[in-house]
Amino acid sequence: LAVVVPYRRMPSLTYYLVKIANLLSFSHIAASLPLPSERDHLRPRIDLVVFMIDIKSKYSLKNVETSLAHVDASFFLGKVCFLVTGVGRVNACSIETNAISKLAEAYCSPVLFCELELEGIRVATAQRLLRMLQICAGHIPGVSPLSFVSLMRNSDDD
């Protein structure tokens, strides 16, 4: 089984735009990690890992916690984020947001809370993820993934 490692191959910005054009429909979705190693030589470079957590499912959080062990440590320098879905239904939550915040803090990674069933929020979330992906892929001059995450963390503290 392969460990996810950054900076393998450098796709163009157009590649990313096409992949995210269908709002949160990514080209490479894995239910969990590690990724199978038999197709590793064909896999494009991975610039951003988005761990999706369904706030209504404790299994979802457990799966993410298990998968984190299979991500190269260098990804946690601004190339990982947690996307928490289902936050619009507070009465149906199985996971406390505090547990997610502690996980994100432990891995120095930002958290995006969203409700994907609402069109406007889905679009805004996709745009935020696209911007993060552009930064992580090195397509925004003068902004590194680490400095971007640092800015996000400082703005969350205010």
Side-chain angles (χ1 to χ4, degrees), residues 54-143:
D54 181 355
I55 203 155
K56 302 174 309 236
S57 169
K58 287 186 179 184
Y59 171 76
S60 174
L61 180 61
K62 190 70 174 159
N63 188 24
V64 166
E65 290 172 335
T66 303
S67 295
L68 284 165
H70 300 284
V71 177
D72 188 81
S74 62
F75 266 101
F76 297 105
L77 298 174
K79 292 179 174 274
V80 169
C81 79
F82 298 95
L83 178 64
V84 182
T85 64
V87 295
R89 287 171 256 121
V90 178
N91 57 345
C93 292
S94 296
I95 304 169
E96 290 188 33
T97 56
N98 190 32
I100 296 167
S101 296
K102 285 182 181 179
L103 182 68
E105 188 175 318
Y107 286 94
C108 301
S109 300
V111 181
L112 301 175
F113 292 95
C114 69
E115 180 56 66
L116 295 180
E117 292 182 12
L118 301 174
E119 181 68 25
I121 294 175
R122 188 169 63 235
V123 169
T125 301
Q127 289 171 339
R128 276 186 92 177
L129 286 172
L130 175 59
R131 191 55 155 180
M132 289 175 70
L133 184 54
Q134 290 171 326
I135 291 168
C136 290
H139 291 289
I140 308 296
V143 182

Side-chain angles (χ1 to χ4, degrees), residues 10-14 16 45 47 133-141:
M10 183 66 160
S12 69
L13 180 57
T14 306
Y16 293 115
R45 188 181 80 179
D47 293 302
L133 184 54
Q134 290 171 326
I135 291 168
C136 290
H139 291 289
I140 308 296

Side-chain angles (χ1 to χ4, degrees), residues 4 9 31 33 45 65-66 86 88 111 126 145 155 158:
V4 178
R9 296 165 194 88
L33 295 175
R45 188 181 80 179
E65 290 172 335
T66 303
V111 181
S155 67
D158 293 339

